[in-house]
Amino acid sequence: MESRKNLTGSVGGIAGLALTFTGVAGPYWPVVVAGLYGAGALLAPPERPPLPDFPDPSAQLEELREDFDKLSTYLADIELPPAASGRLTELSELLTALLDPGWVAEILAQDPEGVHALSRAVRQDIPEAVDTFVRTRWWTRLTPGTEPPERHLERQLSLLQEEFGRLAATLRDVEARRQESLTRYLEDRSD
């Protein structure tokens, strides 16, 4: 009933009735009304399918916070060497600060690549790095003299910390540019 084709056709049909009452359609008024309805229905633009309902970035961040809590619980049960444990603690603090609800999360929500990078780190990179370390450590005990897996874990955690340090710096720069823009606007307004 409410489709575009039906509404456009109905407008055409009403125009046909108007032509009938003014005497233009004559004895063929049913054909004129039906023809104008059909022409309107054919000329109407097709229905557009609705856009997919994707979760907004703040909902994605909420899910990511929940996953980060699960990851933190998992990591609490893993025994790591002191150096790797320190790196993991620093990385966790940085991720906690980035995922903390508030104005930082609002800025982060505007950066889909940053949200994706955080998601990848929480859901894939960190768990895989720690799990690979645990598995490799077991094999290293069987074959002494090989490179210790702690070095790889420390390097992986360092690389992740560098990546998210750059993300934090980018978010800080966004706010600095916003502040500078406001200053310029106020200066221009006062001139």
Side-chain angles (χ1 to χ4, degrees):
M1 281 300 249
E2 297 175 6
S3 72
R4 292 180 184 183
K5 293 190 176 290
N6 187 38
L7 292 175
T8 307
S10 295
V11 168
I14 291 171
L17 288 175
L19 291 175
T20 300
F21 291 130
T22 58
V24 175
Y28 302 107
W29 69 269
V31 174
V32 171
V33 171
L36 287 175
Y37 174 85
L42 289 175
L43 293 175
E47 293 291 326
R48 289 185 333 188
L51 292 174
D53 186 26
F54 295 117
D56 66 338
S58 58
Q60 290 175 346
L61 285 176
E62 187 59 39
E63 290 175 10
L64 192 53
R65 281 186 203 98
E66 292 171 10
D67 290 345
F68 184 64
D69 289 340
K70 291 177 192 174
L71 176 64
S72 299
T73 303
Y74 163 75
L75 294 174
D77 295 337
I78 303 291
E79 184 180 327
L80 298 175
S85 180
R87 294 253 187 234
L88 186 59
T89 300
E90 292 172 3
L91 178 60
S92 293
E93 289 172 356
L94 180 57
L95 293 177
T96 299
L98 287 170
L99 289 171
D100 203 25
W103 63 271
V104 175
E106 290 173 12
I107 297 169
L108 180 60
Q110 311 252 334
D111 182 10
E113 290 178 17
V115 172
H116 175 71
L118 276 172
S119 174
R120 184 183 59 229
V122 168
R123 294 177 177 146
Q124 180 182 350
D125 295 340
I126 297 171
E128 186 174 340
V130 172
D131 185 56
T132 304
F133 163 75
V134 170
R135 291 171 187 238
T136 307
R137 180 176 59 180
W138 185 85
W139 285 105
T140 304
R141 291 177 184 161
L142 297 176
T143 56
T146 59
E147 184 177 17
E150 293 86 10
R151 288 188 190 149
H152 287 286
L153 179 61
E154 290 172 27
R155 182 69 182 136
Q156 291 164 357
L157 295 175
S158 295
L159 290 169
L160 288 168
Q161 187 172 2
E162 289 172 16
E163 178 181 0
F164 294 108
R166 286 190 302 270
L167 176 61
T170 300
L171 297 176
R172 183 194 67 230
D173 290 345
V174 166
E175 284 303 295
R177 282 192 300 272
R178 183 172 165 226
Q179 184 182 31
E180 291 169 4
S181 295
L182 179 60
T183 302
R184 279 193 298 274
Y185 167 73
L186 293 173
E187 289 172 347
D188 290 346
R189 193 172 76 179
S190 66
D191 288 339

